[in-house]
Amino acid sequence: MSDIPSGPAAGVLVRIRGLSKAYRRGGQPVPVLHDLDLDIADGDFLALMGPSGSGKSTLLNLIAGIDKPDAGSLEVAGVELAQLGEADLARWRARHVGFIFQFYNLMPVLTARENVELPLLLTALPRRERRERAELALSLVGLADRMDHRPSELSGGQQQRVAIARAIITDPTLLVADEPTGDLDRVSAGEILDLMERLNADLGKTIVMVTHDQRAAARAHSVVQLEKGALVAGAVDGGA
Amino acid sequence: MFARLILRNALRHRLRTALTVLGIFVAILAFGLLATVVDAWYAGAEGASAARLVTRNAVSLVFPLPLTHREKLRQVEGVSRVSTANWFGGIYISPRNFFPQFAVDAQTYFDLYPEYRVPEAEMREFLRDRKGAIVGRKLADTYGWKVGDVVPLKGTIYAGNWEFVVRGIYDGRDAGTDTAQFFLHWAYLNESVRRLLPRRADTVGVFIVGIDEPGRAADIARAIDAQFRNSLAETLTETEKAFQLGFVAMTEAIVVAIRLVSYLVIFIIMAVMANTMSMSARERMPEYATLKAIGFRPARVAALVTGESVAIALAGTVLGIAATFPVAERFGRAMGSLFPVFRVSLDTVLLQLACALVIGLVAAFAPAWRAARVGIAEGLRA
């Protein structure tokens, strides 16, 4: 590991100031986020909401370190992400960020246990310990009896739980979730949100979740509304 | 687990992978066979001894040399033994049954060729019988000859119907020894020539010259040729290997064509494989993006694609190499005595393996590059 500085400013895990991002389409810059300021507290469960094209997924990608801002500052746990090179950013993500995707993004050829174990391949842990940790994470999400099943043998809700187990296996500081219930029925979605609440409450994980679903947003501690790349309502309390 | 992921990815589309492996199998088999044909072309030169020189008429191999040169040859410093050989060129039943026949000085020839192993008793019988012949094991097996059989040959250079009695069958000292030759007595041939074509009597096609110090081959060859300079039959002496390569050079265009075809086969399968890998990589862009998101570096993602490509190429190659041996054996048998030595060499196997690596690496290059460079956000949306 290179020396990536860590240690958040008091109480704030994500600190965003003057953040701007544009994409180029047909040679023309299309602004997505402009001059955005936002603080996310350590241990928060924040929902990012807004219409399609409002920039919420872009903001999530920037916070997760899978995209870089054009201007402004974005600090996560005291690390200015824009200053990290690609390799350092990859290492930082591996250590500090857990991803939960709408379509689970599991490797279809690996079993649930192997999928969960995947991020640990980037660590120096021995095989046995990797396996034990994967089993523990799967137990935590209630899938102890599905460890050797492949994703195609699991329901959508179960696949999302595997994805959550994979997201928490490295004990990251931050969990980012892009429409985590978007592909699930109501019951499964409820179970996933229950699980995320537990991760937030019991394990103290900071969660940033993009969602269109009011019910999902209602589980968050705070909701941020985005429209045309700008905050329209600031951070407001969720319904939890 | 990384290796497991590579292998499982390789087996993801079983039919696609099986067809690709089949293509590589056929290509590697064809490459191995063609390389073995080229090797067989050079087998004579490869089996040549550094301790033997061949002295022929300086004008052309077609012109004979007088037997009287033999004594002068023996006197050249560094020469230990001298024997003679004449191309007989007979037809056994049909011109399709081609095999080399040499009329040799029986007393000295086999001393110069220790790699031809003739049982002592059979050699004694051969020396005793002027109409006797020694045949190679491959030849005997091909035509079902046994010791005591009479082999009729229709003369082309030396007209007439000739009959020889198989007095011995020689085996090769090693697998690379040519055992598809037929040896008869020069003395017997010369008797007939003296009677029918007196002008051509007491001449030989080539002298086989044994030397004790192979390191002095060039000096000894020069000394031999100097001995006969300005004589009625000037000589050209060269190492046995150079002499054999001279024959190969006459058909070099065929060898070049075979080599080109073999590499073309590899090139075509490389293109097919590249297409397979491109399709696979394109389908899996969201997975590569996911891996990058969770911290896998581009080089590792590229290794995933490359590993899969090399694994598929190696699977086809291992099968291809395994099949090359029995197929080459059958092919060699079917060719009869046309290719006296037809065996798959270690070099050919190594070349086949090298081809597998090249196919795997080249086919993976573009998709691995794309997978490594894919933007995470863009890949996740794909």
Side-chain angles (χ1 to χ4, degrees):
Chain A
M1 289 293 290
S2 66
D3 297 327
I4 301 170
S6 60
V12 175
L13 182 70
V14 181
R15 187 173 178 276
I16 297 170
R17 292 292 178 270
L19 190 76
S20 293
K21 176 75 185 174
Y23 291 115
R24 295 190 82 79
R25 274 199 202 112
Q28 295 296 313
V30 179
V32 183
L33 297 171
H34 29 224
D35 202 22
L36 198 124
D37 295 339
L38 178 67
D39 285 340
I40 301 173
D42 193 11
D44 197 0
F45 184 173
L46 177 111
L48 283 174
M49 296 195 75
S52 294
S54 60
K56 53 190 188 304
S57 287
T58 300
L59 179 57
L60 190 78
N61 290 343
L62 290 168
I63 293 170
I66 58 178
D67 208 348
K68 285 195 166 188
D70 295 334
S73 153
L74 198 166
E75 277 183 22
V76 181
V79 178
E80 179 57 58
L81 299 191
Q83 286 174 4
L84 299 182
E86 195 177 352
D88 282 338
L89 206 50
R91 275 194 287 266
W92 178 83
R93 282 195 305 269
R95 244 181 105 178
H96 297 285
V97 186
F99 290 87
I100 304 165
F101 303 100
Q102 179 178 1
F103 299 109
Y104 333 123
N105 290 45
L106 301 173
M107 301 296 130
V109 290
L110 299 180
T111 63
R113 179 178 17 223
E114 288 164 344
N115 265 290
V116 175
E117 203 181 321
L118 213 47
L120 296 182
L121 290 182
L122 303 170
T123 68
L125 289 176
R127 189 180 166 185
R128 189 176 169 167
E129 198 169 334
R130 288 201 312 256
R131 198 181 158 96
E132 283 171 3
R133 285 200 190 188
E135 287 172 2
L136 183 68
L138 280 167
S139 303
L140 207 67
V141 298
L143 285 178
D145 56 343
R146 293 283 189 276
M147 290 188 190
D148 295 319
H149 288 62
R150 291 202 181 179
S152 59
E153 297 161 347
L154 300 171
S155 69
Q158 288 171 330
Q159 287 186 59
Q160 193 60 297
R161 286 186 205 203
V162 175
I164 291 172
R166 182 182 64 188
I168 60 172
I169 188 81
T170 54
D171 193 22
T173 323
L174 177 68
L175 289 180
V176 293
D178 193 357
E179 302 271 14
T181 57
D183 194 45
L184 299 176
D185 61 65
R186 199 168 162 175
V187 175
S188 301
E191 288 169 359
I192 291 302
L193 290 167
D194 288 345
L195 185 57
M196 289 174 72
E197 274 186 323
R198 263 177 38 218
L199 293 175
N200 176 248
D202 300 347
L203 302 179
K205 298 292 170 202
T206 305
I207 300 176
V208 181
M209 171 178 71
V210 163
T211 185
H212 279 109
D213 183 357
Q214 290 292 345
R215 280 190 300 269
R219 303 285 195 106
H221 298 167
S222 48
V223 177
V224 166
Q225 284 283 351
L226 276 167
E227 203 168 308
K228 294 183 180 171
L231 293 180
V232 289
V236 294
D237 287 341
Chain B
M1 200 174 79
F2 198 68
R4 213 178 311 156
L5 182 57
I6 288 173
L7 283 179
R8 288 195 196 155
N9 270 338
L11 295 171
R12 205 142 142 185
H13 293 283
R14 283 171 197 264
L15 181 63
R16 188 196 290 170
T17 303
L19 290 173
T20 309
V21 167
L22 180 68
I24 293 167
F25 162 77
V26 172
I28 291 293
L29 174 60
F31 180 86
L33 275 181
L34 293 172
T36 306
V37 168
V38 171
D39 283 352
W41 227 279
Y42 284 96
E46 289 303 316
S49 166
R52 290 191 292 259
L53 304 177
V54 178
T55 299
R56 64 175 175 88
N57 192 304
V59 177
S60 164
L61 190 59
V62 174
F63 297 102
L65 289 170
L67 186 64
T68 49
H69 276 23
R70 182 164 61 185
E71 284 313 311
K72 285 185 178 175
L73 274 169
R74 280 180 179 147
Q75 287 160 21
V76 174
E77 196 202 337
V79 171
S80 57
R81 290 190 183 99
V82 178
S83 190
T84 65
N86 277 47
W87 179 259
F88 182 73
I91 294 171
Y92 175 62
I93 304 172
S94 151
R96 287 177 60 196
N97 301 326
F98 172 82
F99 54 85
Q101 304 129 24
F102 294 101
V104 300
D105 176 15
Q107 299 289 342
T108 54
Y109 190 83
F110 289 93
D111 290 341
L112 275 164
Y113 286 87
E115 61 266 44
Y116 301 158
R117 299 205 157 153
V118 191
E120 260 179 53
E122 291 179 9
M123 180 55 86
R124 272 199 304 273
E125 286 301 300
F126 171 63
L127 293 175
R128 195 185 52 75
D129 182 2
R130 291 155 67 83
K131 288 177 76 174
I134 295 276
V135 303
R137 178 69 61 192
K138 182 167 185 177
L139 210 51
D141 289 347
T142 303
Y143 298 110
W145 295 335
K146 302 181 300 296
V147 171
D149 284 357
V150 174
V151 177
L153 293 178
K154 188 171 188 292
T156 53
I157 302 167
Y158 304 100
N161 291 317
W162 301 74
E163 284 191 343
F164 301 96
V165 182
V166 176
R167 291 298 177 195
I169 296 171
Y170 75 88
D171 287 296
R173 185 176 55 195
D174 50 55
T177 304
D178 180 356
T179 60
Q181 299 179 90
F182 186 101
F183 298 106
L184 54 115
H185 286 277
W186 175 85
Y188 174 55
L189 175 71
N190 195 47
E191 270 177 27
S192 304
V193 171
R194 191 175 285 151
R195 208 171 49 244
L196 301 168
L197 298 158
R199 203 166 46 85
R200 286 174 63 184
D202 296 325
T203 60
V204 298
V206 293
F207 287 101
I208 314 295
V209 179
I211 56 175
D212 288 333
E213 293 175 71
R216 289 189 56 223
D219 291 341
I220 297 169
R222 270 196 296 273
I224 290 171
D225 293 341
Q227 182 85 1
F228 300 107
R229 194 162 297 141
N230 299 321
S231 74
L232 283 173
E234 291 194 348
T235 60
L236 174 66
T237 304
E238 55 198 343
T239 60
E240 193 180 51
K241 185 166 190 166
F243 180 73
Q244 296 284 2
L245 284 174
F247 286 101
V248 176
M250 292 176 198
T251 53
E252 199 155 21
I254 298 172
V255 176
V256 170
I258 292 172
R259 282 210 166 113
L260 275 178
V261 168
S262 68
Y263 285 108
L264 191 66
V265 167
I266 295 298
F267 179 78
I268 291 168
I269 197 62
M270 203 167 359
V272 171
M273 178 81 183
N275 185 46
T276 302
M277 289 314 300
S278 290
M279 280 165 67
S280 299
R282 207 177 309 127
E283 288 164 4
R284 294 178 200 155
M285 277 305 163
E287 291 170 32
Y288 300 138
T290 303
L291 289 172
K292 287 180 77 176
I294 64 178
F296 280 71
R297 294 178 61 182
R300 229 155 171 197
V301 174
L304 203 60
V305 181
T306 308
E308 182 179 342
S309 179
V310 171
I312 292 174
L314 275 177
T317 300
V318 168
L319 293 174
I321 290 173
T324 304
F325 287 91
V327 173
E329 200 197 323
R330 282 189 173 203
F331 184 82
R333 228 183 296 141
M335 289 291 107
S337 50
L338 188 62
F339 291 125
V341 178
F342 197 82
R343 64 196 174 99
V344 183
S345 68
L346 178 64
D347 284 354
T348 297
V349 173
L350 292 176
L351 259 179
Q352 286 173 303
L353 282 171
C355 283
L357 273 181
V358 170
I359 290 171
L361 293 174
V362 171
F365 183 77
W369 175 263
R370 277 200 301 273
R373 300 309 308 165
V374 67
I376 299 174
E378 172 200 347
L380 289 172
R381 277 196 302 269

